[in-house]
């Protein structure tokens, strides 16, 4: 979900209202269902100017051979959340991840994972973001930063 098209009621030249943001996120979530986002099982919890929150209820296909959530799943969750934060900031503009740094802190076990992402820095052509994944037991699982190019 890193490439954006102007969503319903979104004006790329103005900050979206809460109602426009909600409609945009619903439309984007529906469009993403048949994509990798849907395969992973991501659920959009909220998207505001302050943060994007996504959850995932882990399933057997999310696990690696050691019985913990695969690092690629965790990386994808963080990339998706940070990408959505960028899309919300720049509706209608094309964006792409240009750099992703991930730090795995604690093995993620079965359960509900929550990723929270926000924008740290903005320029006309790029954005720097950060995200954190926590397990339902409160453990901090992973942190990341990402750079996104705005075309």
């Amino acid at each position: 979900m890193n490439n954006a098209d102007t969503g319903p009621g979104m004006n790329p030249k103005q900050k979206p209202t809460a109602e426009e943001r909600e409609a945009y996120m619903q439309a984007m979530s529906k469009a993403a269902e048949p994509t990798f986002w849907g395969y992973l099982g991501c659920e959009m919890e909220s998207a505001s100017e302050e943060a994007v929150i996504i959850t995932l209820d882990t399933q057997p296909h999310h696990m690696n051979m050691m019985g913990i959530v695969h690092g690629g799943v965790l990386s994808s969750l963080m990339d998706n959340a940070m990408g959505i934060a960028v899309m919300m900031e720049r509706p209608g503009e094309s964006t792409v991840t240009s750099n992703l740094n991930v730090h795995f802190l604690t093995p993620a076990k079965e359960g509900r994972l929550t990723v929270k992402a926000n924008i740290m820095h903005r320029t006309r052509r790029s954005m720097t973001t950060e995200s954190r994944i926590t397990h339902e037991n409160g453990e901090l699982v992973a942190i990341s930063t990402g750079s996104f190019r705005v075309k």
Side-chain angles (χ1 to χ4, degrees):
M1 285 185 53
N2 284 352
N3 290 332
D5 292 326
T6 302
M10 297 290 279
N11 180 343
K13 302 294 183 202
Q14 298 176 345
K15 283 268 193 197
T17 65
E19 294 81 20
E20 289 171 334
R21 184 178 290 108
E22 180 63 29
Y24 183 62
M25 290 319 306
Q26 287 179 3
M28 293 303 290
S29 291
K30 183 157 182 63
E33 285 175 14
T35 69
F36 188 61
W37 166 275
Y39 175 75
L40 278 177
C42 299
E43 293 289 330
M44 177 63 64
E45 296 298 323
S46 66
S48 68
E49 288 184 30
E50 294 77 38
V52 168
I53 299 174
I54 295 172
T55 58
L56 174 73
D57 290 319
T58 59
Q59 304 297 317
H61 68 273
H62 296 124
M63 303 301 173
N64 64 21
M65 292 172 42
M66 295 183 300
I68 58 176
V69 178
H70 192 284
V73 171
L74 301 173
S75 298
S76 292
L77 282 172
M78 292 185 285
D79 185 36
N80 273 309
M82 292 184 293
I84 291 168
V86 170
M87 289 169 45
M88 295 303 296
E89 179 76 14
R90 301 283 179 91
E93 294 184 55
S94 180
T95 64
V96 65
T97 308
S98 57
N99 185 48
L100 180 65
N101 285 317
V102 178
H103 298 270
F104 302 106
L105 306 174
T106 304
K109 300 173 182 78
E110 252 185 74
R112 188 174 190 85
L113 299 175
T114 301
V115 60
K116 182 177 181 179
N118 60 283
I119 297 171
M120 298 169 47
H121 185 262
R122 302 157 180 83
T123 69
R124 198 175 56 109
R125 296 299 222 161
S126 69
M127 293 199 183
T128 303
T129 59
E130 66 180 349
S131 69
R132 297 171 166 265
I133 296 179
T134 54
H135 189 272
E136 65 185 14
N137 65 12
E139 287 183 316
L140 182 60
V141 172
I143 59 174
S144 69
T145 56
S147 300
F148 292 79
R149 181 169 181 246
V150 181
K151 295 181 181 181

